[in-house]
Amino acid sequence: MELDPDNVVSPFKMGALMMRTARAEEALVFFRMSSELRPDAPVVHNNVGLTCTKLQMFEEATAAFERGLEASKDAQAKGMILNNMGIMYKEMGETEKAMECFEQALRLPSVEAYINKASSLIDAGEYEEAEKCMREGLRVKPESLSDAYNGLGASIEMTHSRLNQSVVFFEEAVKANPRNEPAYFSWVHLRCRLCDWREHERLFEEVRKMIDRGATGGLGPIFGLAYPLSDEQMCTVARARAREAVGNVKRMRNEFVPWAPNFAAIPEKLGIAIVSADFNMKPVGQLIQSVFKMMDKDKFEIFAFMLEAHDNSHVMANIANSVDEWNWCKGLSPLVVAQMVNNEQPNILIDFSGFTDGARNEIGALKPAPVAVNYLGFPYTLTMEGFDYILSDRVVLPPEQHTSCFPEKVAWLPNMYMVNDHKQSQAEQILGDFTAANASNLSLPHRSQQLVLANFNHLQKLGPHTFHLWLRIMQELPDSVLWLLRFPPEAEPNLRREFEEREIGTRLHLSDKFPSKIHLNVKRAASLLLDTLEYNAHVSGLDALWAGLPLVTLAGSNMARRCGASFLRTMKVPQLLARTSEEYVSIATQLGENPRKLQELRDKVLNDDRLPPAYSPAGRIQQVERHSLRYEGTSLVHLPLFLLCSSPSTPVAPPPSAQAPFLLVHLFKLLTFSSRAGSRSSSRCCGSCGRLCSLPPPSSLTPTRSLQLPKARRPCI
């Protein structure tokens, strides 16, 4: 470059080298230089646009792409630039402009446009149209096999049908390009969904190597929790997903001004924004549907923001009718929803989605409420700055597992952190019986006729380690049958193959999912619930316990693998909690061999008189509201999280800090908070067994000032 400053090739190659070494800012300098030397070359403007897009410099990226289009003399160059403009608009959240670019590129020979249009259609839920788009792209440019097959596999998988065909397409994508990371992750994940565990260890050895070198594209964090990954690898997966949202937040902050509360004053009513794509028949909706109608509306205002469409369910109706304001936000950008939340001036935002389908994590991170809480939908850290707290209990998230991966402080609740609604919404099913005749009418096994071992999870939560433990239990109990859900149906041949290889015969019973109006009652036909150790039974575990079905589990290595232990501790049945895989097999086998002991446990689980208030929303709220939290004679309103999940305990205030505003230092008195420097609590978890040992109660912190209740609803500075 020094010898020939006018040589356009040198800065172009330098820019490409910088991009390959993740030095985008330096690459942009060289690409700008090459675009000045050759303004008639579309490719140099295209590279400026791509680099600016990576750096979230969208205004300059748009200008560069437009210059590239003006300089383009052939259709292929125009197609390339239009495709990249579409990607840029998609990152900006401008879906209509992105689709317009892809449509224009489709008229030109660019298979990438087909792939990206299909991706946008998948995001919009148009799965059949996405499949058609990918098939057309494969026809137009068959040499782009890997990306086209990957897009085709994704389009079919999202329809939740023909999953075996989807596996074939993902495999073809990997064969065509072994370096296609999204295709490889999708292929391995779908094989797990279908319980095809052939070559399981070899495939995951490669997955772990890919994660260790920073390749996580296409691997969903919610699925990673069930995979054989280390804590560091799981953290890498979550951080990779968070980076995309963090980049969006940085761009949106220029257009967003959060409201400014006055932390020196306590509002008469606390404003709570609840955000989720799952306020419907999905698990989160089923768990929380009674909570908000039980809250004291003289103390709280609840603003709900639903990120998905209406599913016409009674669950959605229950939630919508129990909040002060209900907002439909399907199809709206995170920035628009954050502005809607901000207009309500809530004190606290609770994100019930985390890294699950339909989530918009940017909303909470933009801080439309002074405090953002991660709760329930995703049992792990969001790894994002901007979320202040994660809600858990000391069995699900012991202090020793709260690592540097968690930027959130942990709000540890006295009992289990999950709330559920069954006593309110499913009372008839809980109190009713399910006889052998009822089971026969539905072609189901019944515990009165044989030992029925059961699990009602989606089969993607099941891994080979747990399944082989189940087969060992069945070998010890020759009269037993294993009852699973056909969820998905394509997994059945693989499960039956596992049975045949172990020579257990045909003692596998698979049934379809049951309608919500009978699903709890039907589960009474089983004798014993065996938990999935890769990813515990969460809602289905609570379902089983309410139906009187004992649950055998083992506390694992992350939050998703410890919920069963939390349930058993709360219900005071620790004899069902194993400490090792061998003990897991032993507990299940001994119960199967001792019908009297098993019946005693069923009776104990069914008798909910001894349950602590954390198990029922109604009991929990009544107990919390009877407990008057006072501070220097001033009555404080309770944070709604207490009503969701906690019961009265010795008040413990967290240490004040710049990150914990004065208002919250006093509102969170019922909780015990952790920081990386340590924690304060009246009990702690001993090791991985999930059992508790007592510690001396901590002393309360001395207040630094008195609080006065203002007249304003939510005072601003």
Side-chain angles (χ1 to χ4, degrees), residues 90 99 114-131 133-134 150-159 170 308 330 357:
K90 187 179 176 185
M99 293 292 285
Y114 285 96
I115 294 168
N116 288 305
K117 182 183 177 184
S119 175
S120 296
L121 288 167
I122 289 173
D123 290 344
E126 302 288 340
Y127 306 126
E128 291 183 4
E129 290 299 316
E131 181 182 347
C133 185
M134 286 312 312
N150 182 51
L152 196 52
S155 302
I156 295 173
E157 183 186 9
M158 294 304 293
T159 67
F170 285 135
E308 279 297 329
K330 171 70 173 177
D357 288 346

PDB file of all heavy atoms in Angstrom, residues 90 99 114-131 133-134 150-159 170 308 330 357:
ATOM      1  N   LYS A  90     -33.523  -6.509   8.556  1.00  0.00           N
ATOM      2  CA  LYS A  90     -34.028  -7.504   9.507  1.00  0.00           C
ATOM      3  C   LYS A  90     -33.401  -7.302  10.882  1.00  0.00           C
ATOM      4  O   LYS A  90     -34.074  -7.385  11.912  1.00  0.00           O
ATOM      5  CB  LYS A  90     -33.743  -8.915   8.984  1.00  0.00           C
ATOM      6  CG  LYS A  90     -34.373 -10.015   9.824  1.00  0.00           C
ATOM      7  CD  LYS A  90     -34.075 -11.388   9.234  1.00  0.00           C
ATOM      8  CE  LYS A  90     -34.644 -12.473  10.149  1.00  0.00           C
ATOM      9  NZ  LYS A  90     -34.269 -13.829   9.676  1.00  0.00           N
ATOM     10  N   MET A  99     -38.247  -7.728   3.796  1.00  0.00           N
ATOM     11  CA  MET A  99     -38.958  -8.585   2.851  1.00  0.00           C
ATOM     12  C   MET A  99     -38.967  -7.964   1.458  1.00  0.00           C
ATOM     13  O   MET A  99     -38.853  -8.669   0.444  1.00  0.00           O
ATOM     14  CB  MET A  99     -40.379  -8.821   3.342  1.00  0.00           C
ATOM     15  CG  MET A  99     -40.471  -9.647   4.619  1.00  0.00           C
ATOM     16  SD  MET A  99     -39.967 -11.368   4.369  1.00  0.00           S
ATOM     17  CE  MET A  99     -41.402 -11.983   3.510  1.00  0.00           C
ATOM     18  N   TYR A 114     -33.431 -16.252  -1.328  1.00  0.00           N
ATOM     19  CA  TYR A 114     -34.427 -17.254  -0.972  1.00  0.00           C
ATOM     20  C   TYR A 114     -34.240 -17.700   0.471  1.00  0.00           C
ATOM     21  O   TYR A 114     -35.201 -17.846   1.228  1.00  0.00           O
ATOM     22  CB  TYR A 114     -34.309 -18.467  -1.900  1.00  0.00           C
ATOM     23  CG  TYR A 114     -34.858 -18.244  -3.286  1.00  0.00           C
ATOM     24  CD1 TYR A 114     -34.025 -17.873  -4.332  1.00  0.00           C
ATOM     25  CD2 TYR A 114     -36.213 -18.405  -3.558  1.00  0.00           C
ATOM     26  CE1 TYR A 114     -34.516 -17.661  -5.603  1.00  0.00           C
ATOM     27  CE2 TYR A 114     -36.720 -18.203  -4.831  1.00  0.00           C
ATOM     28  CZ  TYR A 114     -35.872 -17.831  -5.855  1.00  0.00           C
ATOM     29  OH  TYR A 114     -36.378 -17.622  -7.107  1.00  0.00           O
ATOM     30  N   ILE A 115     -32.996 -17.921   0.849  1.00  0.00           N
ATOM     31  CA  ILE A 115     -32.706 -18.382   2.207  1.00  0.00           C
ATOM     32  C   ILE A 115     -33.145 -17.343   3.232  1.00  0.00           C
ATOM     33  O   ILE A 115     -33.803 -17.666   4.226  1.00  0.00           O
ATOM     34  CB  ILE A 115     -31.197 -18.684   2.347  1.00  0.00           C
ATOM     35  CG1 ILE A 115     -30.819 -19.876   1.466  1.00  0.00           C
ATOM     36  CG2 ILE A 115     -30.824 -18.943   3.803  1.00  0.00           C
ATOM     37  CD1 ILE A 115     -29.318 -20.071   1.308  1.00  0.00           C
ATOM     38  N   ASN A 116     -32.817 -16.088   2.975  1.00  0.00           N
ATOM     39  CA  ASN A 116     -33.151 -15.054   3.948  1.00  0.00           C
ATOM     40  C   ASN A 116     -34.635 -14.722   3.966  1.00  0.00           C
ATOM     41  O   ASN A 116     -35.188 -14.397   5.017  1.00  0.00           O
ATOM     42  CB  ASN A 116     -32.315 -13.800   3.678  1.00  0.00           C
ATOM     43  CG  ASN A 116     -30.864 -13.999   4.062  1.00  0.00           C
ATOM     44  OD1 ASN A 116     -30.540 -14.356   5.187  1.00  0.00           O
ATOM     45  ND2 ASN A 116     -29.970 -13.811   3.106  1.00  0.00           N
ATOM     46  N   LYS A 117     -35.291 -14.805   2.809  1.00  0.00           N
ATOM     47  CA  LYS A 117     -36.738 -14.614   2.813  1.00  0.00           C
ATOM     48  C   LYS A 117     -37.402 -15.748   3.606  1.00  0.00           C
ATOM     49  O   LYS A 117     -38.330 -15.511   4.391  1.00  0.00           O
ATOM     50  CB  LYS A 117     -37.294 -14.577   1.392  1.00  0.00           C
ATOM     51  CG  LYS A 117     -38.798 -14.319   1.380  1.00  0.00           C
ATOM     52  CD  LYS A 117     -39.404 -14.353   0.002  1.00  0.00           C
ATOM     53  CE  LYS A 117     -40.923 -14.155   0.091  1.00  0.00           C
ATOM     54  NZ  LYS A 117     -41.582 -14.285  -1.229  1.00  0.00           N
ATOM     55  N   ALA A 118     -36.930 -16.972   3.413  1.00  0.00           N
ATOM     56  CA  ALA A 118     -37.477 -18.097   4.176  1.00  0.00           C
ATOM     57  C   ALA A 118     -37.271 -17.885   5.674  1.00  0.00           C
ATOM     58  O   ALA A 118     -38.156 -18.179   6.484  1.00  0.00           O
ATOM     59  CB  ALA A 118     -36.822 -19.406   3.733  1.00  0.00           C
ATOM     60  N   SER A 119     -36.102 -17.367   6.056  1.00  0.00           N
ATOM     61  CA  SER A 119     -35.841 -17.083   7.476  1.00  0.00           C
ATOM     62  C   SER A 119     -36.835 -16.060   8.020  1.00  0.00           C
ATOM     63  O   SER A 119     -37.361 -16.208   9.129  1.00  0.00           O
ATOM     64  CB  SER A 119     -34.416 -16.575   7.636  1.00  0.00           C
ATOM     65  OG  SER A 119     -34.167 -16.190   8.974  1.00  0.00           O
ATOM     66  N   SER A 120     -37.117 -15.024   7.232  1.00  0.00           N
ATOM     67  CA  SER A 120     -38.086 -14.017   7.671  1.00  0.00           C
ATOM     68  C   SER A 120     -39.486 -14.615   7.777  1.00  0.00           C
ATOM     69  O   SER A 120     -40.251 -14.280   8.678  1.00  0.00           O
ATOM     70  CB  SER A 120     -38.090 -12.835   6.689  1.00  0.00           C
ATOM     71  OG  SER A 120     -36.842 -12.180   6.697  1.00  0.00           O
ATOM     72  N   LEU A 121     -39.832 -15.506   6.842  1.00  0.00           N
ATOM     73  CA  LEU A 121     -41.147 -16.160   6.893  1.00  0.00           C
ATOM     74  C   LEU A 121     -41.259 -17.055   8.119  1.00  0.00           C
ATOM     75  O   LEU A 121     -42.321 -17.142   8.738  1.00  0.00           O
ATOM     76  CB  LEU A 121     -41.370 -16.971   5.613  1.00  0.00           C
ATOM     77  CG  LEU A 121     -41.619 -16.145   4.345  1.00  0.00           C
ATOM     78  CD1 LEU A 121     -41.513 -17.029   3.102  1.00  0.00           C
ATOM     79  CD2 LEU A 121     -42.980 -15.458   4.400  1.00  0.00           C
ATOM     80  N   ILE A 122     -40.165 -17.733   8.479  1.00  0.00           N
ATOM     81  CA  ILE A 122     -40.178 -18.558   9.697  1.00  0.00           C
ATOM     82  C   ILE A 122     -40.407 -17.678  10.914  1.00  0.00           C
ATOM     83  O   ILE A 122     -41.192 -18.001  11.802  1.00  0.00           O
ATOM     84  CB  ILE A 122     -38.853 -19.349   9.819  1.00  0.00           C
ATOM     85  CG1 ILE A 122     -38.799 -20.446   8.749  1.00  0.00           C
ATOM     86  CG2 ILE A 122     -38.714 -19.963  11.209  1.00  0.00           C
ATOM     87  CD1 ILE A 122     -37.466 -21.159   8.676  1.00  0.00           C
ATOM     88  N   ASP A 123     -39.717 -16.522  10.960  1.00  0.00           N
ATOM     89  CA  ASP A 123     -39.908 -15.593  12.079  1.00  0.00           C
ATOM     90  C   ASP A 123     -41.368 -15.143  12.180  1.00  0.00           C
ATOM     91  O   ASP A 123     -41.874 -14.892  13.271  1.00  0.00           O
ATOM     92  CB  ASP A 123     -39.013 -14.363  11.913  1.00  0.00           C
ATOM     93  CG  ASP A 123     -37.542 -14.695  12.111  1.00  0.00           C
ATOM     94  OD1 ASP A 123     -37.259 -15.776  12.674  1.00  0.00           O
ATOM     95  OD2 ASP A 123     -36.697 -13.886  11.704  1.00  0.00           O
ATOM     96  N   ALA A 124     -42.033 -15.023  11.018  1.00  0.00           N
ATOM     97  CA  ALA A 124     -43.428 -14.573  11.004  1.00  0.00           C
ATOM     98  C   ALA A 124     -44.414 -15.710  11.194  1.00  0.00           C
ATOM     99  O   ALA A 124     -45.624 -15.489  11.204  1.00  0.00           O
ATOM    100  CB  ALA A 124     -43.722 -13.863   9.682  1.00  0.00           C
ATOM    101  N   GLY A 125     -43.909 -16.954  11.341  1.00  0.00           N
ATOM    102  CA  GLY A 125     -44.794 -18.093  11.549  1.00  0.00           C
ATOM    103  C   GLY A 125     -45.371 -18.671  10.277  1.00  0.00           C
ATOM    104  O   GLY A 125     -46.240 -19.541  10.326  1.00  0.00           O
ATOM    105  N   GLU A 126     -44.881 -18.226   9.108  1.00  0.00           N
ATOM    106  CA  GLU A 126     -45.383 -18.722   7.822  1.00  0.00           C
ATOM    107  C   GLU A 126     -44.503 -19.890   7.355  1.00  0.00           C
ATOM    108  O   GLU A 126     -43.718 -19.775   6.420  1.00  0.00           O
ATOM    109  CB  GLU A 126     -45.370 -17.589   6.789  1.00  0.00           C
ATOM    110  CG  GLU A 126     -46.194 -16.380   7.177  1.00  0.00           C
ATOM    111  CD  GLU A 126     -47.685 -16.667   7.102  1.00  0.00           C
ATOM    112  OE1 GLU A 126     -48.072 -17.632   6.403  1.00  0.00           O
ATOM    113  OE2 GLU A 126     -48.467 -15.928   7.726  1.00  0.00           O
ATOM    114  N   TYR A 127     -44.669 -21.044   8.016  1.00  0.00           N
ATOM    115  CA  TYR A 127     -43.741 -22.148   7.804  1.00  0.00           C
ATOM    116  C   TYR A 127     -43.915 -22.819   6.437  1.00  0.00           C
ATOM    117  O   TYR A 127     -42.931 -23.198   5.788  1.00  0.00           O
ATOM    118  CB  TYR A 127     -43.893 -23.177   8.924  1.00  0.00           C
ATOM    119  CG  TYR A 127     -43.762 -22.573  10.296  1.00  0.00           C
ATOM    120  CD1 TYR A 127     -44.749 -22.739  11.264  1.00  0.00           C
ATOM    121  CD2 TYR A 127     -42.652 -21.797  10.619  1.00  0.00           C
ATOM    122  CE1 TYR A 127     -44.633 -22.171  12.509  1.00  0.00           C
ATOM    123  CE2 TYR A 127     -42.528 -21.222  11.872  1.00  0.00           C
ATOM    124  CZ  TYR A 127     -43.523 -21.416  12.809  1.00  0.00           C
ATOM    125  OH  TYR A 127     -43.412 -20.842  14.058  1.00  0.00           O
ATOM    126  N   GLU A 128     -45.132 -22.978   5.981  1.00  0.00           N
ATOM    127  CA  GLU A 128     -45.352 -23.607   4.683  1.00  0.00           C
ATOM    128  C   GLU A 128     -44.802 -22.731   3.557  1.00  0.00           C
ATOM    129  O   GLU A 128     -44.202 -23.229   2.599  1.00  0.00           O
ATOM    130  CB  GLU A 128     -46.842 -23.883   4.481  1.00  0.00           C
ATOM    131  CG  GLU A 128     -47.394 -24.965   5.400  1.00  0.00           C
ATOM    132  CD  GLU A 128     -48.850 -25.263   5.125  1.00  0.00           C
ATOM    133  OE1 GLU A 128     -49.413 -24.674   4.172  1.00  0.00           O
ATOM    134  OE2 GLU A 128     -49.429 -26.086   5.850  1.00  0.00           O
ATOM    135  N   GLU A 129     -45.012 -21.415   3.667  1.00  0.00           N
ATOM    136  CA  GLU A 129     -44.465 -20.505   2.662  1.00  0.00           C
ATOM    137  C   GLU A 129     -42.939 -20.532   2.688  1.00  0.00           C
ATOM    138  O   GLU A 129     -42.284 -20.441   1.643  1.00  0.00           O
ATOM    139  CB  GLU A 129     -44.976 -19.078   2.908  1.00  0.00           C
ATOM    140  CG  GLU A 129     -46.449 -18.890   2.621  1.00  0.00           C
ATOM    141  CD  GLU A 129     -46.783 -19.180   1.160  1.00  0.00           C
ATOM    142  OE1 GLU A 129     -46.017 -18.727   0.274  1.00  0.00           O
ATOM    143  OE2 GLU A 129     -47.786 -19.878   0.907  1.00  0.00           O
ATOM    144  N   ALA A 130     -42.364 -20.661   3.891  1.00  0.00           N
ATOM    145  CA  ALA A 130     -40.907 -20.736   4.004  1.00  0.00           C
ATOM    146  C   ALA A 130     -40.380 -21.982   3.286  1.00  0.00           C
ATOM    147  O   ALA A 130     -39.359 -21.931   2.586  1.00  0.00           O
ATOM    148  CB  ALA A 130     -40.485 -20.735   5.469  1.00  0.00           C
ATOM    149  N   GLU A 131     -41.078 -23.104   3.469  1.00  0.00           N
ATOM    150  CA  GLU A 131     -40.650 -24.338   2.790  1.00  0.00           C
ATOM    151  C   GLU A 131     -40.708 -24.175   1.270  1.00  0.00           C
ATOM    152  O   GLU A 131     -39.777 -24.567   0.547  1.00  0.00           O
ATOM    153  CB  GLU A 131     -41.536 -25.501   3.229  1.00  0.00           C
ATOM    154  CG  GLU A 131     -41.129 -26.819   2.577  1.00  0.00           C
ATOM    155  CD  GLU A 131     -42.030 -27.975   2.972  1.00  0.00           C
ATOM    156  OE1 GLU A 131     -42.826 -27.834   3.931  1.00  0.00           O
ATOM    157  OE2 GLU A 131     -41.946 -29.024   2.302  1.00  0.00           O
ATOM    158  N   CYS A 133     -40.439 -21.436  -0.419  1.00  0.00           N
ATOM    159  CA  CYS A 133     -39.371 -20.513  -0.801  1.00  0.00           C
ATOM    160  C   CYS A 133     -38.036 -21.247  -0.892  1.00  0.00           C
ATOM    161  O   CYS A 133     -37.268 -21.058  -1.843  1.00  0.00           O
ATOM    162  CB  CYS A 133     -39.304 -19.372   0.208  1.00  0.00           C
ATOM    163  SG  CYS A 133     -38.121 -18.083  -0.214  1.00  0.00           S
ATOM    164  N   MET A 134     -37.742 -22.117   0.069  1.00  0.00           N
ATOM    165  CA  MET A 134     -36.465 -22.828   0.070  1.00  0.00           C
ATOM    166  C   MET A 134     -36.395 -23.833  -1.068  1.00  0.00           C
ATOM    167  O   MET A 134     -35.341 -24.019  -1.699  1.00  0.00           O
ATOM    168  CB  MET A 134     -36.250 -23.538   1.405  1.00  0.00           C
ATOM    169  CG  MET A 134     -35.893 -22.611   2.558  1.00  0.00           C
ATOM    170  SD  MET A 134     -34.578 -21.442   2.180  1.00  0.00           S
ATOM    171  CE  MET A 134     -33.345 -22.491   1.453  1.00  0.00           C
ATOM    172  N   ASN A 150     -30.381 -26.618   4.731  1.00  0.00           N
ATOM    173  CA  ASN A 150     -30.570 -26.184   6.121  1.00  0.00           C
ATOM    174  C   ASN A 150     -31.860 -25.381   6.261  1.00  0.00           C
ATOM    175  O   ASN A 150     -32.649 -25.594   7.200  1.00  0.00           O
ATOM    176  CB  ASN A 150     -29.378 -25.339   6.567  1.00  0.00           C
ATOM    177  CG  ASN A 150     -29.485 -24.898   8.012  1.00  0.00           C
ATOM    178  OD1 ASN A 150     -29.719 -25.707   8.904  1.00  0.00           O
ATOM    179  ND2 ASN A 150     -29.345 -23.604   8.251  1.00  0.00           N
ATOM    180  N   GLY A 151     -32.102 -24.460   5.349  1.00  0.00           N
ATOM    181  CA  GLY A 151     -33.336 -23.678   5.391  1.00  0.00           C
ATOM    182  C   GLY A 151     -34.566 -24.545   5.205  1.00  0.00           C
ATOM    183  O   GLY A 151     -35.601 -24.326   5.849  1.00  0.00           O
ATOM    184  N   LEU A 152     -34.459 -25.536   4.332  1.00  0.00           N
ATOM    185  CA  LEU A 152     -35.586 -26.437   4.103  1.00  0.00           C
ATOM    186  C   LEU A 152     -35.879 -27.263   5.354  1.00  0.00           C
ATOM    187  O   LEU A 152     -37.036 -27.450   5.746  1.00  0.00           O
ATOM    188  CB  LEU A 152     -35.264 -27.344   2.922  1.00  0.00           C
ATOM    189  CG  LEU A 152     -36.413 -28.100   2.260  1.00  0.00           C
ATOM    190  CD1 LEU A 152     -37.538 -27.161   1.877  1.00  0.00           C
ATOM    191  CD2 LEU A 152     -35.907 -28.852   1.030  1.00  0.00           C
ATOM    192  N   GLY A 153     -34.817 -27.758   5.992  1.00  0.00           N
ATOM    193  CA  GLY A 153     -35.012 -28.517   7.229  1.00  0.00           C
ATOM    194  C   GLY A 153     -35.663 -27.684   8.311  1.00  0.00           C
ATOM    195  O   GLY A 153     -36.564 -28.146   9.013  1.00  0.00           O
ATOM    196  N   ALA A 154     -35.211 -26.410   8.452  1.00  0.00           N
ATOM    197  CA  ALA A 154     -35.789 -25.524   9.471  1.00  0.00           C
ATOM    198  C   ALA A 154     -37.248 -25.223   9.177  1.00  0.00           C
ATOM    199  O   ALA A 154     -38.088 -25.190  10.087  1.00  0.00           O
ATOM    200  CB  ALA A 154     -34.981 -24.230   9.549  1.00  0.00           C
ATOM    201  N   SER A 155     -37.570 -25.005   7.906  1.00  0.00           N
ATOM    202  CA  SER A 155     -38.953 -24.692   7.537  1.00  0.00           C
ATOM    203  C   SER A 155     -39.882 -25.845   7.896  1.00  0.00           C
ATOM    204  O   SER A 155     -40.979 -25.634   8.422  1.00  0.00           O
ATOM    205  CB  SER A 155     -39.043 -24.400   6.032  1.00  0.00           C
ATOM    206  OG  SER A 155     -38.190 -23.340   5.664  1.00  0.00           O
ATOM    207  N   ILE A 156     -39.446 -27.066   7.635  1.00  0.00           N
ATOM    208  CA  ILE A 156     -40.293 -28.224   7.933  1.00  0.00           C
ATOM    209  C   ILE A 156     -40.366 -28.470   9.431  1.00  0.00           C
ATOM    210  O   ILE A 156     -41.433 -28.772   9.978  1.00  0.00           O
ATOM    211  CB  ILE A 156     -39.748 -29.463   7.195  1.00  0.00           C
ATOM    212  CG1 ILE A 156     -39.866 -29.261   5.681  1.00  0.00           C
ATOM    213  CG2 ILE A 156     -40.500 -30.718   7.626  1.00  0.00           C
ATOM    214  CD1 ILE A 156     -39.204 -30.340   4.865  1.00  0.00           C
ATOM    215  N   GLU A 157     -39.238 -28.328  10.127  1.00  0.00           N
ATOM    216  CA  GLU A 157     -39.244 -28.578  11.579  1.00  0.00           C
ATOM    217  C   GLU A 157     -40.225 -27.668  12.298  1.00  0.00           C
ATOM    218  O   GLU A 157     -40.907 -28.078  13.241  1.00  0.00           O
ATOM    219  CB  GLU A 157     -37.846 -28.391  12.165  1.00  0.00           C
ATOM    220  CG  GLU A 157     -37.788 -28.713  13.649  1.00  0.00           C
ATOM    221  CD  GLU A 157     -36.450 -28.402  14.282  1.00  0.00           C
ATOM    222  OE1 GLU A 157     -35.601 -27.777  13.630  1.00  0.00           O
ATOM    223  OE2 GLU A 157     -36.247 -28.789  15.455  1.00  0.00           O
ATOM    224  N   MET A 158     -40.320 -26.403  11.865  1.00  0.00           N
ATOM    225  CA  MET A 158     -41.199 -25.458  12.546  1.00  0.00           C
ATOM    226  C   MET A 158     -42.669 -25.784  12.375  1.00  0.00           C
ATOM    227  O   MET A 158     -43.512 -25.263  13.094  1.00  0.00           O
ATOM    228  CB  MET A 158     -40.914 -24.036  12.060  1.00  0.00           C
ATOM    229  CG  MET A 158     -39.531 -23.522  12.442  1.00  0.00           C
ATOM    230  SD  MET A 158     -39.207 -23.569  14.218  1.00  0.00           S
ATOM    231  CE  MET A 158     -40.359 -22.341  14.799  1.00  0.00           C
ATOM    232  N   THR A 159     -43.009 -26.657  11.433  1.00  0.00           N
ATOM    233  CA  THR A 159     -44.406 -27.098  11.298  1.00  0.00           C
ATOM    234  C   THR A 159     -44.733 -28.184  12.323  1.00  0.00           C
ATOM    235  O   THR A 159     -45.885 -28.568  12.474  1.00  0.00           O
ATOM    236  CB  THR A 159     -44.678 -27.649   9.893  1.00  0.00           C
ATOM    237  OG1 THR A 159     -43.942 -28.865   9.700  1.00  0.00           O
ATOM    238  CG2 THR A 159     -44.289 -26.641   8.826  1.00  0.00           C
ATOM    239  N   PHE A 170     -31.332 -31.657   7.198  1.00  0.00           N
ATOM    240  CA  PHE A 170     -30.213 -31.139   7.989  1.00  0.00           C
ATOM    241  C   PHE A 170     -28.948 -31.964   7.759  1.00  0.00           C
ATOM    242  O   PHE A 170     -27.833 -31.425   7.646  1.00  0.00           O
ATOM    243  CB  PHE A 170     -30.565 -31.135   9.476  1.00  0.00           C
ATOM    244  CG  PHE A 170     -31.511 -30.049   9.892  1.00  0.00           C
ATOM    245  CD1 PHE A 170     -32.585 -30.320  10.725  1.00  0.00           C
ATOM    246  CD2 PHE A 170     -31.331 -28.742   9.461  1.00  0.00           C
ATOM    247  CE1 PHE A 170     -33.461 -29.317  11.118  1.00  0.00           C
ATOM    248  CE2 PHE A 170     -32.192 -27.730   9.849  1.00  0.00           C
ATOM    249  CZ  PHE A 170     -33.263 -28.020  10.680  1.00  0.00           C
ATOM    250  N   GLU A 308     -47.464 -12.599  21.678  1.00  0.00           N
ATOM    251  CA  GLU A 308     -47.957 -13.534  20.665  1.00  0.00           C
ATOM    252  C   GLU A 308     -49.440 -13.308  20.415  1.00  0.00           C
ATOM    253  O   GLU A 308     -50.092 -12.531  21.101  1.00  0.00           O
ATOM    254  CB  GLU A 308     -47.709 -14.985  21.095  1.00  0.00           C
ATOM    255  CG  GLU A 308     -46.303 -15.475  20.823  1.00  0.00           C
ATOM    256  CD  GLU A 308     -45.954 -15.504  19.344  1.00  0.00           C
ATOM    257  OE1 GLU A 308     -46.856 -15.726  18.506  1.00  0.00           O
ATOM    258  OE2 GLU A 308     -44.777 -15.280  19.016  1.00  0.00           O
ATOM    259  N   LYS A 330     -48.128  -8.541  19.277  1.00  0.00           N
ATOM    260  CA  LYS A 330     -47.664  -9.440  18.216  1.00  0.00           C
ATOM    261  C   LYS A 330     -47.207  -8.633  17.002  1.00  0.00           C
ATOM    262  O   LYS A 330     -47.927  -7.776  16.501  1.00  0.00           O
ATOM    263  CB  LYS A 330     -48.800 -10.380  17.823  1.00  0.00           C
ATOM    264  CG  LYS A 330     -48.539 -11.240  16.588  1.00  0.00           C
ATOM    265  CD  LYS A 330     -47.503 -12.309  16.839  1.00  0.00           C
ATOM    266  CE  LYS A 330     -47.391 -13.253  15.643  1.00  0.00           C
ATOM    267  NZ  LYS A 330     -46.343 -14.263  15.828  1.00  0.00           N
ATOM    268  N   ASP A 357     -39.170 -19.233  22.693  1.00  0.00           N
ATOM    269  CA  ASP A 357     -39.806 -18.784  21.459  1.00  0.00           C
ATOM    270  C   ASP A 357     -40.640 -17.536  21.690  1.00  0.00           C
ATOM    271  O   ASP A 357     -41.427 -17.469  22.638  1.00  0.00           O
ATOM    272  CB  ASP A 357     -40.712 -19.891  20.901  1.00  0.00           C
ATOM    273  CG  ASP A 357     -39.918 -21.051  20.322  1.00  0.00           C
ATOM    274  OD1 ASP A 357     -38.703 -20.881  20.105  1.00  0.00           O
ATOM    275  OD2 ASP A 357     -40.510 -22.121  20.090  1.00  0.00           O
TER     276      ASP A 357
END
